[in-house]
Amino acid sequence: MSEEFYCFNVEAEDAGKRLDRFLAEKPQMPSRSYLQKLIEDSRVTVGKKAAKSNYRLQAGDIVELSIPEPRQLEAEAEAMDLKIVYEDEDLLVVDKPKGMVVHPAAGHENHTLVNGLLYHCQGKLSGINGVLRPGIVHRIDRDTTGLLLVCKNDASHLAIAAQLKEHSITRRYHAIVHGEIREDGTVNAPIGRNPSDRMKMAVNYKNGKEAVTHYHILEPLKQYTYIECVLETGRTHQIRVHMASIHHPLLGDTVYGPAKCPFPLEGQTLHAKVLGFVHPRTGEYLEFESPLPEYFEKLRVKLRK
């Protein structure tokens, strides 16, 4: 496959849009983060001149884009300071910090959790999910913190994947959401791609997959609620989409909630606090708990009534 070239005329209806958003909305475009990288590399021009991602388009602008020929990404081992909660010959549990991407992808080729795992485990990770996601049996978002299970061999990977499919793995997340929730509840609504914005997920009854989230009130806060969410399924952005669908988006989630956050946060306040599973070799049930990150705990205290 050779380099691809695109040319777009900016119509009046698109005037005022950011350059990166304008491109991300076009069909067959890569992710917005990768488009931003292409813009930084001067592969996007407006009127034959390089522009920044936040450039506001004007009617009549001509936007040209060249996408280089894709190359096969290969995850490389990197020495990193990983917080390992548990480890044995079959698997390990890691406490992921905020801002860390789980595995390499276009726009995030290095400094991911997988890069650190390859170094820590000396390459001894399950290979079922391919060279870019070795050991990864489930994921959490870049800005979600907390516990993640990693498999070192294919046998453990298959066993854990079966538990995920049977919904028998314990996954409890803590979050702060907008508004006052008055009682515990369950959101049972399928999740799929947002038909009007392919970069987002949404409750999608036509093409979505089953998704069930139980939520429990931990503490009422000033204009917010501190909750625990228990997952039955593990769809992309599940908690974020489900809570937004009942008008209680996560604090800090500018994708599914308010565009501006009243606090200096980097992404949503969501923490994978409890992880429990049956060990694939011993048959023993193991459960681990991660303390709330410092920023999360300070914010929770600040918002108390």
Side-chain angles (χ1 to χ4, degrees):
M1 182 179 178
S2 59
E3 191 169 13
E4 296 181 19
F5 293 91
Y6 295 89
C7 182
F8 303 104
N9 293 318
V10 179
E11 306 294 340
E13 64 213 45
D14 290 317
K17 283 186 180 179
R18 284 174 54 113
L19 174 60
D20 55 352
R21 181 187 168 194
F22 170 79
L23 289 172
E25 291 175 349
K26 297 299 180 183
Q28 298 181 331
M29 285 291 105
S31 69
R32 186 167 175 176
S33 61
Y34 185 53
L35 285 168
Q36 289 171 341
K37 185 177 185 303
L38 293 176
I39 293 171
E40 289 177 6
D41 293 342
S42 300
R43 284 186 165 273
V44 179
T45 62
V46 180
K48 300 296 184 180
K49 294 181 180 180
K52 295 183 178 181
S53 293
N54 61 359
Y55 171 77
R56 298 289 177 174
L57 293 167
Q58 301 178 28
D61 278 345
I62 297 178
V63 178
E64 294 181 297
L65 162 68
S66 65
I67 301 178
E69 183 177 358
R71 61 184 178 85
Q72 180 62 43
L73 293 176
E74 291 186 8
E76 298 181 356
E78 292 182 47
M80 300 171 67
D81 185 18
L82 299 178
K83 186 176 180 181
I84 307 297
V85 176
Y86 172 85
E87 183 174 13
D88 61 28
E89 61 183 322
D90 295 303
L91 49 82
L92 60 88
V93 176
V94 62
D95 198 338
K96 188 187 82 66
K98 196 175 216 23
M100 177 181 279
V101 176
V102 172
H103 62 78
H108 298 285
E109 299 178 13
N110 304 108
H111 315 307
T112 71
L113 177 61
V114 161
N115 296 115
L117 288 169
L118 284 170
Y119 183 90
H120 177 82
C121 299
Q122 298 181 344
K124 295 178 181 178
L125 295 167
S126 67
I128 290 175
N129 271 343
V131 295
L132 290 181
R133 292 185 287 174
I136 303 302
V137 68
H138 70 118
R139 292 177 290 174
I140 53 179
D141 296 338
R142 178 183 64 183
D143 292 323
T144 299
T145 55
L147 300 175
L148 191 72
L149 178 58
V150 178
C151 295
K152 290 186 173 182
N153 52 62
D154 289 354
S156 61
H157 190 123
L158 290 170
I160 294 299
Q163 291 181 49
L164 283 166
K165 187 175 181 179
E166 295 167 358
H167 313 318
S168 60
I169 287 184
T170 302
R171 287 176 292 171
R172 298 181 182 276
Y173 291 74
H174 283 201
I176 297 175
V177 299
H178 285 264
E180 181 181 354
I181 297 180
R182 299 183 181 277
E183 60 183 8
D184 298 348
T186 296
V187 182
N188 186 344
I191 290 177
R193 288 288 171 189
N194 187 323
S196 60
D197 186 345
R198 69 184 188 86
M199 303 305 294
K200 296 181 181 180
M201 307 301 288
V203 170
N204 188 327
Y205 287 96
K206 183 177 180 180
N207 298 312
K209 295 182 179 180
E210 177 192 17
V212 181
T213 304
H214 306 284
Y215 58 90
H216 167 67
I217 299 169
L218 294 175
E219 183 181 12
L221 304 171
K222 294 177 183 177
Q223 301 178 22
Y224 300 93
T225 307
Y226 175 42
I227 64 171
E228 178 178 78
C229 292
V230 180
L231 296 182
E232 281 194 25
T233 53
R235 306 305 175 199
T236 301
H237 299 173
Q238 179 171 319
I239 293 174
R240 298 166 63 188
V241 170
H242 271 173
M243 296 312 298
S245 75
I246 59 171
H247 311 295
H248 292 289
L250 272 61
L251 176 59
D253 190 347
T254 56
V255 175
Y256 298 104
K260 291 186 177 180
C261 179
F263 303 98
L265 301 177
E266 296 179 6
Q268 64 278 356
T269 47
L270 183 61
H271 180 63
K273 187 169 180 60
V274 178
L275 177 65
F277 55 92
V278 174
H279 194 285
R281 185 183 297 269
T282 67
E284 177 186 4
Y285 178 75
L286 302 177
E287 187 170 284
F288 304 92
E289 184 169 346
S290 166
L292 290 175
E294 183 179 5
Y295 91 92
F296 195 126
E297 181 62 24
K298 286 183 177 179
L299 184 59
R300 184 174 71 90
V301 172
K302 182 178 181 178
L303 293 174
R304 277 179 172 160
K305 291 183 176 180

